[in-house]
Amino acid sequence: MRRRSLPCPDPADERPAVRKPERRSLRRVFALGLPTVWGAVAISYKFGCPLAQQEGLGARVVTSAVFFAVGTGLIFHVRRALLRELTQVRKVAGAAQSVLLRPLPPRLDGLGVAAAQLSADRGAAIGGDLYEAIATEHGVRVVMGDVRGHGLPAIGTAAALLGSFREAAHDEPELGGVLRRLERTFARHLRERSRAEHPSTGREPDTPPAEEFATVLLLEIRRDGELRALNCGHPWPYLLSAHGVDPLAHAEPLPPLGPFPLPPDLDPERCGHLLPGESLVLYTDGAEDARDAHGRFFSLSSALREATADHPVTPKTILRRVFTALLRHTGCDPTDDIAVLVLRNDRNRHKCNEPLGARGTARPAPTNPQPTTKR
């Protein structure tokens, strides 16, 4: 066997790695040494300069100017160090947020996609709301959820649910299996969090905190546009069609994850078909619970009608118009996390000429077809 020679590393390539600790040390020395030097100069002037010992007006003015210059320099130095640290922290937080709530592609298996979130915490790009859309062999599977509360604990719970969904969406052939995986992940995460918050017990708690819960909506859009959903305490999406803006379904949802176990049988709700050109708007309850200065609730359905007044409109346009109306209604100060996800069927109209029965459900043509009005 012929032995391949490995390329020798270039010493120049190792220089940055060697110098990084040196640069950090120099930066720390500079950060601590400069204020020390300024302080030493001020003390030396006060006790060593003859002018500082005089009581005249001119001497006092000069002394005040010296201390003012030293103080101003210290303030600017500390401000610069804090801004540098804040910039670094924001870069790390932005990278972590993009991994947790990663941007969705504009197109997904023939569907137009647009999603965004507003966090109730200032300076945060994510909160307790979660969403994800994944193209699988079973169809496009979507999750929209809302974890109780907001802040760092809610972000941790949302991360656990998203990680579980991203795996289960590909592994589980049935939508009910995906929901059971989410339930187990949610319960395990709450037990681990409770153990971390109370380490003195030395053992894992038997049951998670009863006050913690999460609403979850699972949606499956198949290649033929068939819609199946499992809803655990979450608002039903809005369907945008030629007939207007209507809820996708009116069935009673299951209880949220956490307080009660899931029923033994999880049969997805069949919600008809998403026809070409129609859109779905998934959202969290923060959108409809948003209030203005007079306590009036935001009407999401009215905002969607105004957003789709002119046709056609892209999901990104719908999203932008809805969030513009939301911020105008709340005065740019939402009190709860808000997430909105828009999906539009941009697939070919290969079955639109079939007669329609119930909402979006194709049925065989009658023997003596009568004139019908299509949707």
Side-chain angles (χ1 to χ4, degrees), residues 114-126:
Q117 184 185 38
L118 285 176
S119 176
D121 291 339
R122 293 185 178 273
I126 55 177

Side-chain angles (χ1 to χ4, degrees), residues 4 8 83 117 159 164 222 242-243 333:
R4 297 179 59 186
C8 296
L83 288 177
Q117 184 185 38
S164 178
R222 302 198 169 187
H243 297 283
D333 188 22

Side-chain angles (χ1 to χ4, degrees), residues 267-288:
D267 295 326
E269 185 77 17
R270 297 178 182 270
C271 305
H273 287 68
L274 183 67
L275 301 181
E278 294 183 343
S279 299
L280 284 175
V281 178
L282 290 74
Y283 61 97
T284 56
D285 57 3
E288 291 194 327

